[in-house]
Amino acid sequence: MYDSNFEICDMPLSLKSNRTRVERFLADNGLRLDDVDYYAAATDDDGNIIAGGGLQGNVIKCIAVGEAARETGLSNRLISHLIGMATRDGADTVKVYTKPDNSAIFESMGFRIIAQAPKAILMENGVKGIKAYTDYLHDMRGDRPDGATAIVMNANPFTLGHRYLINNAAREATTLYVIAVREDRSSFSYRERLAMIQAGCEELDNVVVIEGSDYAISELTFPTYFLKQVTDATDTHITLDLDLFARHIAPALGVTTRCVGSEPIDALTARYNELMQEQLPQRGIKVKTIERLVLDGKPVSASRMRQWLADGSLSQAAALVPQTTDPYLISHLACDALRAELNTTPKPGLVDRNDNGAHRDMNLAMMDSSIDTLQPFFTSLALYGSSCGENFEVPDAQEVRRIGIDAEAAMLNTTGGVNTHRGALFAMGLTTLAAAWCQVRDVLVGSKQLRELIMQVAGQFAPTAGTHGNEAVNAHRVTGALDLAKGGYTQLFNNWLPAYRDYLAQDASTARHRLLLLIMSQLDDTNVIHRVGYEQAQRVKQEALMLLDNYSTAGMEAMNRDYIARNVSPGGSADMVALTIFIHSILN
């Protein structure tokens, strides 16, 4: 028997010894360690864990009290500690997964059951929680009668298959509610996916798009969904999710039918659909399965579309989505190209996975965060380009500039004032805008129309005074970033892009390295000129050409060491590498 004066301490699971002890303790109590951000435990005089519990966001998980300590009141102290930690981090509602046998303990501390399955219950306390969400659902429903239909979809991204499912369900429904899964572990963010669903349903008068929450296929109710594997915990998570839907969401919206698409590919979704067919009719909710849309003999799937994006083919990816989704594909390809350049390793004088090159003020993590920050602005440019294309209008440089200024401010805020991507933002932003304009006019974007629109928009811009690039242009009469765009990136389309395609065909593993050297050997890189002067910049061009003619990884590594010592960083060439990769994807 223990006394109740044990101290509850943090137990960082980043330490292997702590993780092993926690896993052993939980196993002894019939549990296993789940993903948690924080774990706390009480130990006896010998260092043995006698009670412990964790937090993932505002969810209490993996809580257990050893048998000998269960009469000490330690469980209440542990729960209070975890609630306090969640509240300190801003949570206004705290949730817990636990065994049904533990319900009384949590009910005594103000928790209430919001969903249950044979092997687990989900409880929460706080002033908001499920009631706040059902209040929102009631508001969205308004005076619509009972008898509505619902679809819950992730839409990562929104495809022709999703639209086909919605169209078929809407034809037979008085009101169709489409609930967007709320999470940010997918390739496309929640806000992007919600916007794509809304745009895809805009012309359907009886369809209402509903914000997602923690209460419908979320990491809270259905964490195994985001692992995409069937485990022994899957049925419990599915049952909790379906119980939440039947208890709270369906009544608030007046839903009596739930529609799903057939699932011939994903085993976990297929299991979800199977249990839905078993459980929801018992709760008075019909389940209707609509056969998946098939194109070219294959079911349309978001995963197949994402693979085309990963392969760098806008035309193949766009063939599987409605036109309203295209701007999001283009902005993702822009960021993918920036990341492809960033992750190319080794590179001379540039940030890569090995080192920071000749930079003291930036690193890989900062550059990656900068790309994340820029993504929604690329999407804004793509959406603007698409809307102009629909109306056959040339985009207004003032609106483009406004989006660019906001993007640059956000980038500098993320990086603490470090200019990570100003040059890339200009080139990639213009091209994103132009690609979306062209895409809405024609399914296959052509290089001629892409170049023409880039030149038209760039032609509206005046040179920016006071920049390092502008100083180099004025001092040495070289072609700067704006003039490259005004000329429609002639070198890129006529030389760098064909060469890159040849490099990919010869050896994809070194294609980006060779492309970088090619561009370095030909581009008057204003970043290099600013750092080391015009004469040294000409030397850099010669060195790049020599290494390109006799390429080796060892040569790139040696050049990197040399450029670090000489403070050479061909940042303008890096921007053109990303732009070439991006345009290759657009035209591919």
Side-chain angles (χ1 to χ4, degrees), residues 106-151:
F106 287 95
E107 284 172 344
S108 70
M109 302 188 72
F111 285 80
R112 55 199 173 274
I113 295 174
I114 59 171
Q116 60 186 22
K119 294 182 179 180
I121 54 175
L122 179 60
M123 308 181 75
E124 70 177 10
N125 72 0
V127 295
K128 293 187 177 180
I130 189 66
K131 185 180 184 307
Y133 187 57
T134 55
D135 286 347
Y136 158 76
L137 297 180
H138 281 293
D139 288 343
M140 292 297 293
R141 177 184 177 180
D143 58 1
R144 296 181 181 91
D146 283 350
T149 300
I151 295 173

Side-chain angles (χ1 to χ4, degrees), residues 262-519:
S262 61
E263 184 48 70
I265 299 171
D266 185 85
L268 185 132
T269 304
R271 180 58 177 160
Y272 185 92
N273 290 354
E274 182 182 351
L275 290 183
M276 190 190 307
Q277 294 275 9
E278 292 177 10
Q279 296 179 18
L280 289 189
Q282 299 174 18
R283 312 288 289 273
I285 300 169
K286 300 174 186 175
V287 177
K288 181 178 180 181
T289 301
I290 295 173
E291 289 301 312
R292 290 273 287 274
L293 175 66
V294 174
L295 294 177
D296 298 327
K298 296 179 181 178
V300 173
S301 72
S303 59
R304 185 170 148 222
M305 196 252 30
R306 292 195 303 272
Q307 186 57 56
W308 283 121
L309 273 191
D311 292 341
S313 177
L314 175 61
S315 62
Q316 297 281 9
L320 299 180
V321 303
Q323 199 170 69
T324 51
T325 295
D326 286 345
Y328 299 89
L329 306 190
I330 292 168
S331 70
H332 269 252
L333 284 173
C335 292
D336 288 348
L338 287 171
R339 283 206 171 82
E341 183 285 317
L342 175 61
N343 290 319
T344 299
T345 304
K347 294 198 299 279
L350 296 162
V351 174
D352 59 23
R353 295 196 307 271
N354 286 345
D355 56 51
N356 300 338
H359 296 274
R360 295 194 180 107
D361 59 350
M362 63 181 74
N363 54 43
L364 188 76
M366 179 189 289
M367 299 281 284
D368 198 56
S369 295
S370 175
I371 295 169
D372 282 340
T373 299
L374 292 177
Q375 174 148 357
F377 297 98
F378 286 132
T379 300
S380 294
L381 286 165
L383 289 168
Y384 178 54
S386 183
S387 67
C388 290
E390 286 179 352
N391 300 317
F392 245 121
E393 298 172 350
V394 176
D396 179 15
Q398 291 303 315
E399 177 62 13
V400 177
R401 186 189 299 277
R402 182 194 66 76
I403 297 171
I405 289 171
D406 289 346
E408 185 176 312
M411 174 195 74
L412 294 174
N413 183 61
T414 294
T415 64
V418 178
N419 171 23
T420 47
H421 287 104
R422 184 178 287 137
L425 171 60
F426 176 75
M428 303 288 280
L430 275 182
T431 308
T432 297
L433 175 90
W437 192 99
C438 295
Q439 182 74 8
V440 83
R441 304 304 316 169
D442 194 349
V443 174
L444 293 176
V445 178
S447 58
K448 183 176 183 293
Q449 60 178 343
L450 185 65
R451 289 188 66 188
E452 286 176 350
L453 195 70
I454 290 171
M455 288 189 285
Q456 279 185 289
V457 178
Q460 301 177 51
F461 282 85
T464 304
T467 65
H468 297 318
N470 189 249
E471 290 171 1
V473 169
N474 292 333
H476 303 288
R477 297 291 182 255
V478 296
T479 303
L482 179 57
D483 286 330
L484 286 172
K486 286 182 176 180
Y489 297 110
T490 300
Q491 281 180 296
L492 187 155
F493 282 94
N494 292 348
N495 189 0
W496 305 337
L497 183 59
Y500 179 56
R501 288 169 173 164
D502 288 342
Y503 297 152
L504 286 171
Q506 294 164 14
D507 182 1
S509 67
T510 63
R512 296 197 298 267
H513 299 83
R514 294 173 186 269
L515 175 63
L516 173 61
L517 291 171
L518 175 65
I519 294 173

Side-chain angles (χ1 to χ4, degrees), residues 57-58 83 85-94:
N58 67 338
I83 292 172
M85 294 299 293
T87 303
R88 185 201 67 179
D89 292 338
D92 52 32
T93 303
V94 180

